[in-house]
């Protein structure tokens, strides 16, 4: 690779931002520009307050920004200068027309493809980073090849497997990097150019190469398998609550089978995040469109189980609190979809808060990083709702506390102090099974958790 490879990323979100920062950090002779149509977001990437919270990201950005990492709103100029263009714009679930509620909304993607074509004066490598329905790369290649100027483009699929909260770690030491391309000579050459970038810090045996559709389908399948494990253990959690088995003990016993493994077996109030639901629904839609309705129903059940788990949590709260929540103050500990992120997309907390407000509870939301997003998410929801930074203040005068995000700080709070400040009988619902339930029960709480028998005092 020559010393002036210009990499552009279109879309400075949770995926594009950290991925490009790590590439720039690890490849000082590659010039990386990240663009976005959202000027405010770009402003934040150029400031001391990055638009997303990720452990370790500030340091990576600080090292590379201004050296070979640039954030800009000039998409057209960026396209013109680029040799390799990553496309990392969002692909939300389509809300209208055919496939509404399931298919991916590809409007930003197609618009981006057309803009690349319009602004390019030489052929480029276009890398699909957004998770997309299988065969989208083909559609993009057709748009790009539809030019009469003789420009030659190669489209690669390079799905991102980073998880939020550990993005920098995942990018710096990935389990694998997956690169799909056309099997043609030109396709292989383009693939090689991208392998060369990753090979600066990723061992080559972790860089998997495949055809383009395998790469696209692998991403959807990986997310579907991960989500399926959570729905599987959550389905067992319901059974545990009826049978006096303990879901954490079951998960431990099951996970020690080396064929199964211990990860992603933590029962919870439900999985969230921008990817799992969207990607599974996408898989469902693709299966349906090929007439494979059994395949579609199979994967759809993973999403349904998750929705049921969220509503079951609120049902347990209402049933245990004497079947009425009206006027009761309920403190929600955590709103982010997981710990170590401010992201609230598809967070189970949103479903829980909405259901509690519909029960006319007074909901107090606290979270160390996600309060701004929570405020936005709940803006249109009617009801008695307040936001409180301090968990002690949130719990004061409450009838119940519900832990919805597994933030470390919630493990070490002074629960005796919290108990003393609450209305009695005091309830605690641990939607992440992170607290010491026996100790809470000894303090005097009625303790409800996921997949374990409740510890009650009344
Ligand atoms: C997104 C998708 O949700 C995911 O499926 C995919 O795998 C990667 O891209 P994420 O980075 O988390 O993930 O999304 P988001 O934080 O919303 O970032 C997308 C960015 O693209 C936004 O900042 C948006 O302003 C920008 N964008 C969108 C453009 O720059 N141009 C567009 O035309 C549309
Ligand atoms: C996921 C994939 O892990 C990642 O590879 C992909 O690129 C994007 O989607 P992310 O959504 O950021 O990443 O977070 P992840 O750690 O997978 O957690 C998703 C949800 O599952 C969270 O709400 C989390 O709390 C929940 N979860 C996870 C459980 O409820 N139990 C578990 O055992 C693991």
């Amino acid at each position: 690779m020559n010393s002036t490879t210009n990499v552009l990323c279109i879309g400075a979100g949770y995926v594009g931002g950290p991925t490009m920062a790590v590439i720039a950090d690890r490849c000082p002779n590659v010039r990386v520009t990240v663009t976005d149509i959202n000027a405010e977001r770009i402003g934040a990437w150029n400031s001391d307050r990055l638009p997303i919270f990720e452990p370790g990201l500030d340091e990576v950005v600080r090292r590379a920004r201004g050296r070979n990492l640039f954030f800009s709103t000039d998409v057209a100029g960026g396209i013109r200068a680029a040799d390799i263009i990553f496309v990392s714009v969002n692909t939300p679930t389509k809300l209208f027309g055919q496939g509404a509620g399931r298919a991916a909304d590809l409007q930003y993607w197609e618009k981006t493809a057309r803009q690349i074509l319009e602004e390019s004066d030489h052929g480029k490598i276009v890398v699909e980073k957004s998770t997309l329905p299988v065969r989208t790369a083909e559609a993009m290649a057709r748009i790009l090849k539809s030019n009469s100027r003789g420009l030659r483009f190669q489209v690669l699929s390079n799905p991102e497997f980073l998880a939020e909260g550990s993005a920098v770690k995942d990018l710096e030491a990935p389990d694998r990097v997956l690169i799909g391309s056309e099997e043609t000579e030109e396709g292989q050459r383009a693939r090689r150019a991208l392998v060369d970038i990753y090979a600066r810090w990723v061992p080559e045996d972790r860089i998997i190469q495949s055809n383009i559709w395998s790469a696209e389908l692998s991403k959807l399948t990986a997310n579907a398998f991960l989500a399926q494990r959570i729905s599987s253990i959550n389905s067992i959690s319901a059974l545990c609550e009826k049978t006096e088995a303990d879901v954490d003990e079951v998960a431990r016993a099951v996970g020690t089978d080396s064929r199964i493994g211990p990860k992603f077996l933590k029962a919870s109030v439900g999985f969230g995040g921008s990817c799992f639901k969207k990607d599974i629904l996408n898989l469902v839609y693709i299966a349906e469109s090929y007439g494979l309705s059994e395949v579609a129903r199979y994967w759809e059940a993973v999403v349904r189980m998750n929705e049921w788990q969220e509503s079951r949590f609120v049902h347990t709260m209402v049933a245990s609190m004497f079947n009425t929540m009206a006027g009761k103050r309920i403190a929600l500990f955590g709103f982010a979809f997981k710990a170590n992120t401010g992201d609230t997309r598809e967070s189970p907390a949103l479903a829980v808060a909405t259901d509690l407000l519909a029960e006319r509870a007074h909901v107090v939301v606290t979270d160390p990083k996600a309060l701004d997003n929570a405020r936005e998410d709940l803006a249109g929801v009617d009801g008695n709702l307040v936001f409180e930074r301090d968990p002690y203040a949130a719990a004061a005068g409450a009838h119940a506390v519900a832990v919805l995000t597994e933030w470390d700080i919630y493990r070490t709070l002074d629960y005796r102090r919290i108990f003393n400040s609450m209305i009695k009988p005091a309830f605690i619902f641990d939607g992440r099974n992170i607290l010491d339930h026996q100790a809470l029960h000894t303090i005097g709480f009625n303790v409800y958790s996921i997949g374990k028998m409740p510890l009650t005092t009344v």
Side-chain angles (χ1 to χ4, degrees):
M1 197 188 332
N2 64 45
S3 57
T4 55
T5 302
N6 279 305
V7 165
L8 173 74
C9 177
I10 303 179
Y14 287 88
V15 171
T19 310
M20 292 305 122
V22 169
I23 290 182
D25 191 32
R26 295 303 173 121
C27 309
N29 65 337
V30 173
R31 186 186 160 92
V32 181
T33 306
V34 191
T35 60
D36 202 294
I37 45 170
N38 182 337
E40 205 183 316
R41 222 171 202 193
I42 291 297
W45 280 111
N46 278 322
S47 77
D48 286 337
R49 215 168 160 247
L50 301 184
I52 61 171
F53 168 72
E54 269 302 333
L57 183 61
D58 284 9
E59 289 79 358
V60 175
V61 170
R62 214 173 297 130
R63 274 198 298 271
R65 197 173 54 194
R67 180 188 71 184
N68 63 329
L69 175 66
F70 305 92
F71 295 93
S72 155
T73 50
D74 180 12
V75 187
I79 293 173
R80 283 195 291 274
D83 306 304
I84 301 180
I85 302 177
F86 288 84
V87 182
S88 186
V89 301
N90 39 339
T91 51
T93 303
K94 205 173 166 195
L95 298 174
F96 52 87
Q98 277 184 35
R102 287 167 305 164
D105 185 345
L106 297 175
Q107 59 171 316
Y108 305 120
W109 231 81
E110 180 165 342
K111 192 175 66 75
T112 303
R114 291 187 190 282
Q115 194 180 9
I116 291 174
L117 182 57
E118 208 173 285
E119 301 295 344
S120 293
D121 51 12
H122 60 92
K124 293 166 199 293
I125 298 172
V126 178
V127 186
E128 183 184 85
K129 207 46 164 159
S130 307
T131 308
L132 292 158
V134 183
R135 297 204 167 253
T136 307
E138 188 185 33
M140 179 168 244
R142 282 177 54 200
I143 294 176
L144 293 174
K145 284 175 182 167
S146 70
N147 73 86
S148 53
R149 290 179 284 151
L151 303 179
R152 299 185 72 83
F153 292 91
Q154 275 300 317
V155 180
L156 303 178
S157 168
N158 171 219
E160 186 47 68
F161 294 103
L162 67 81
E164 283 174 39
S166 56
V168 173
K169 197 166 94 339
D170 295 344
L171 286 161
E172 289 182 337
D175 285 349
R176 79 312 208 176
V177 168
L178 180 56
I179 302 176
S181 75
E182 279 178 9
E183 303 286 6
T184 58
E185 206 176 299
E186 257 189 307
Q188 308 268 354
R189 210 173 319 122
R191 193 195 278 184
R192 190 68 234 169
L194 193 53
V195 169
D196 282 348
I197 290 186
Y198 283 110
R200 308 283 181 92
W201 78 97
V202 180
E204 283 231 24
D205 60 356
R206 293 200 175 188
I207 304 179
I208 303 174
Q209 303 183 39
S210 73
N211 81 33
I212 203 153
W213 304 296
S214 301
E216 289 177 322
L217 187 57
S218 301
K219 174 61 199 265
L220 292 183
T221 307
N223 275 349
F225 272 50
L226 290 169
Q228 181 201 43
R229 283 173 70 95
I230 305 169
S231 276
S232 296
I233 198 68
N234 281 345
S235 76
I236 299 301
S237 77
L239 206 51
C240 288
E241 288 166 30
K242 300 281 184 208
T243 59
E244 297 187 31
D246 177 316
V247 77
D248 284 339
E249 291 177 357
V250 173
R252 183 152 180 264
V254 170
T256 46
D257 185 324
S258 61
R259 293 167 303 175
I260 296 173
K263 295 182 182 165
F264 270 73
L265 283 180
K266 184 79 184 156
S268 66
V269 54
F271 62 73
S274 69
C275 287
F276 282 177
K277 183 175 172 191
K278 166 177 77 82
D279 290 353
I280 293 172
L281 293 180
N282 213 330
L283 196 59
V284 167
Y285 184 71
I286 295 166
E288 261 168 9
S289 65
Y290 286 108
L292 301 171
S293 60
E294 283 75 8
V295 178
R297 297 291 81 75
Y298 179 76
W299 288 108
E300 196 173 40
V302 173
V303 174
R304 299 286 160 254
M305 178 56 60
N306 195 52
E307 289 167 352
W308 184 68
Q309 184 77 349
E310 291 171 349
S311 62
R312 204 169 72 76
F313 186 78
V314 177
H315 184 263
T316 302
M317 292 180 80
V318 177
S320 58
M321 293 178 71
F322 322 110
N323 288 310
T324 173
M325 298 305 248
K328 290 181 180 168
R329 180 176 165 104
I330 313 291
L332 302 186
F333 279 16
F335 206 85
F337 80 97
K338 64 188 274 197
N340 298 320
T341 177
D343 193 357
T344 58
R345 289 178 292 179
E346 300 293 341
S347 176
L350 184 56
V352 170
T354 307
D355 287 358
L356 288 173
L357 289 167
E359 291 287 341
R360 310 234 165 120
H362 293 185
V363 174
V364 189
V365 176
T366 182
D367 189 288
K369 293 284 176 196
L371 276 194
D372 290 346
N373 281 333
R375 225 176 250 120
E376 252 175 59
D377 295 341
L378 291 167
V381 183
D382 287 338
N384 195 321
L385 176 66
V386 289
F387 299 89
E388 173 57 62
R389 200 152 284 282
D390 175 18
Y392 291 107
H399 293 73
V401 166
V403 177
L404 300 181
T405 310
E406 70 281 20
W407 285 106
D408 269 344
I409 49 158
Y410 299 144
R411 295 173 207 265
T412 51
L413 294 174
D414 178 350
Y415 280 95
R416 188 170 293 283
R417 174 178 162 198
I418 287 177
F419 179 78
N420 289 338
S421 75
M422 288 174 66
I423 307 281
K424 310 298 178 310
F427 291 80
I428 197 151
F429 299 89
D430 184 358
R432 296 287 181 170
N433 286 352
I434 56 167
L435 304 180
D436 182 341
H437 300 145
Q438 281 303 339
L440 292 171
H441 188 233
T442 306
I443 291 172
F445 280 104
N446 290 284
V447 186
Y448 290 77
S449 45
I450 306 285
K452 297 169 196 269
M453 292 307 282
L455 302 171
T456 52
T457 59
V458 286

